[in-house]
Amino acid sequence: MTAQEQRREAETAAMRRALALAATPGVPLGPNPRVGCVLLSPAGDVLAEGFHRGAGTAHAEADALARAAAAGVDVRGATAVVTLEPCNHTGRTGPCAQVLLGAGVARVVHAQSDPNPVAAGGASTLRAAGVEVESGLLAEESRLLNEVWTFAVEHGRPFVTWKLAATLDGRSAAPDGTSRWVSGTASRLDTHRLRALADTMLVGTGTILDDDPLLTVRDSDANPLPHQPLRAVMGLREVPATARVLNGDAETVLLRTRDPREALDRLFALDRQHVFLEGGPTLAGAFLRAGLVDEIVCYTAPFLLGGGRSAVADLGIGTITDAYRPRVVDVAVLEPVVAGETPDVRFTLRTDGVPVAVTREGDH
């Protein structure tokens, strides 16, 4: 193996380790990306490693350098392997590009280039100062790690996941309104798992008035988790002061609008990047028609009702050739966790930003 091949092997292994560090459980989601860093000696040995632990804490590069300093490790001439291009701006912390320069790092290998124009440019700053910079190593893996953050930065709005639960014939409730839950316990537990991956829960005022939900993330024993997403309610109707969504279990914001784009703009201005849409059929239809649903998670219960509330409002589709056809990316059977319940099926789909109104035969 040549020296160049040995270096590439060491840097690839270090990048995989940096990605694992970035994905450390317990790190708060948003508004910053998840980033990991590994420092290598010129011989390819690991000198130190670090990762970002959330807004206001040291960035991954600074964390790794601080750990090296605490251990008395000399990093001059080292290679910094980072999952994201070192930042080039001063926010709550200083620019990582300057921190690396000050430490005497000779080479920087980063995976994903920073899509944020405010923070980008670290690679150019490092090159201009004589540091060897390589980009793109395991870039797709890094992008996948920060998929929602990257989407929000590139599109200027939060990523939207619409969750629904329906029977085989597409009903979300019986005709007499009985059973708020058509899916089983396993689906509800899985829903809380997905809620915890988002930073915002969004419903319409109709859902608040009809169901009075808590909109919190809870564990299998129904205990609220320490970190809760923002609860957002959009619509023009008044929310009763006694509504459970206004209690102290989590922060709540009222969005006085029926326009999905305006609601997302407001949430993006609040540094929100992933909206979990759990509203009723009218709200879901509005987001779908506007092309503002990016992911659909559907829990299908294996029974029929033949009537009752539909999972989504009329989309104006009159013929099968105009059917809305999101792309299926995963199908899973959720085995029951309570005796007597039947399995549900979870479908995960992506819309690729296509609104209902422009879907026609030949678009797929």
Side-chain angles (χ1 to χ4, degrees), residues 147 159 294-297 326-332 346-352:
E147 179 183 20
F159 183 91
D294 306 296
E295 179 181 60
I296 301 172
V297 177
R327 175 170 51 90
V328 178
V329 295
D330 184 64
V331 180
R346 184 191 65 220
F347 293 89
T348 305
L349 311 97
R350 291 297 178 93
T351 69
D352 301 322

Side-chain angles (χ1 to χ4, degrees), residues 159 161 163 191 194-195 198 200-202 274-278:
F159 183 91
T161 296
K163 170 260 171 182
T191 295
L194 294 179
R195 282 181 175 184
T200 306
M201 297 283 301
L202 177 61
H274 190 180
V275 168
F276 200 70
L277 184 66
E278 283 208 59

Side-chain angles (χ1 to χ4, degrees), residues 142-194:
S142 178
R143 185 180 177 90
L144 183 61
L145 174 69
N146 287 305
E147 179 183 20
V148 167
W149 174 82
T150 301
F151 178 96
V153 170
E154 291 180 345
H155 290 78
R157 68 165 178 85
F159 183 91
V160 176
T161 296
W162 171 41
K163 170 260 171 182
L164 70 151
T167 61
L168 289 174
D169 51 349
R171 303 297 177 176
S172 61
D176 63 356
T178 56
S179 181
R180 291 173 55 193
W181 307 105
V182 296
S183 56
T185 304
S187 293
R188 295 197 289 278
L189 292 174
D190 194 59
T191 295
H192 281 281
R193 177 186 66 84
L194 294 179

Side-chain angles (χ1 to χ4, degrees), residues 137-363:
L137 178 62
L138 302 186
E140 286 305 310
E141 288 87 339
S142 178
R143 185 180 177 90
L144 183 61
L145 174 69
N146 287 305
E147 179 183 20
V148 167
W149 174 82
T150 301
F151 178 96
V153 170
E154 291 180 345
H155 290 78
R157 68 165 178 85
F159 183 91
V160 176
T161 296
W162 171 41
K163 170 260 171 182
L164 70 151
T167 61
L168 289 174
D169 51 349
R171 303 297 177 176
S172 61
D176 63 356
T178 56
S179 181
R180 291 173 55 193
W181 307 105
V182 296
S183 56
T185 304
S187 293
R188 295 197 289 278
L189 292 174
D190 194 59
T191 295
H192 281 281
R193 177 186 66 84
L194 294 179
R195 282 181 175 184
L197 299 178
D199 58 26
T200 306
M201 297 283 301
L202 177 61
V203 299
T205 51
T207 293
I208 300 300
L209 297 173
D210 292 343
D211 299 333
D212 193 24
L214 273 172
L215 292 185
T216 55
V217 181
R218 300 180 291 279
D219 62 20
S220 57
D221 295 320
N223 298 314
L225 299 187
H227 178 74
Q228 292 290 331
L230 174 71
R231 300 179 293 193
V233 182
M234 64 177 288
L236 302 181
R237 286 185 286 180
E238 292 297 322
V239 174
T242 55
R244 296 198 299 170
V245 75
L246 298 180
N247 67 14
D249 290 353
E251 183 183 357
T252 301
V253 62
L254 302 180
L255 308 174
R256 300 292 186 180
T257 181
R258 290 177 177 165
D259 181 353
R261 169 60 74 175
E262 184 178 346
L264 293 183
D265 286 345
R266 290 271 307 278
L267 292 171
F268 188 68
L270 294 174
D271 272 341
R272 300 293 155 167
Q273 299 164 349
H274 190 180
V275 168
F276 200 70
L277 184 66
E278 283 208 59
T282 301
L283 189 65
F287 272 78
L288 284 166
R289 287 191 297 272
L292 294 175
V293 171
D294 306 296
E295 179 181 60
I296 301 172
V297 177
C298 175
Y299 297 96
T300 302
F303 61 88
L304 303 168
L305 284 174
R309 187 172 66 176
S310 296
V312 65
D314 183 9
L315 297 176
I317 297 172
T319 180
I320 192 66
T321 56
D322 287 347
Y324 190 63
R325 304 176 188 273
R327 175 170 51 90
V328 178
V329 295
D330 184 64
V331 180
V333 177
L334 304 181
E335 296 296 338
V337 296
V338 174
E341 292 187 345
T342 54
D344 292 332
V345 178
R346 184 191 65 220
F347 293 89
T348 305
L349 311 97
R350 291 297 178 93
T351 69
D352 301 322
V354 178
V356 170
V358 300
T359 305
R360 293 292 184 270
E361 184 176 21
D363 284 350

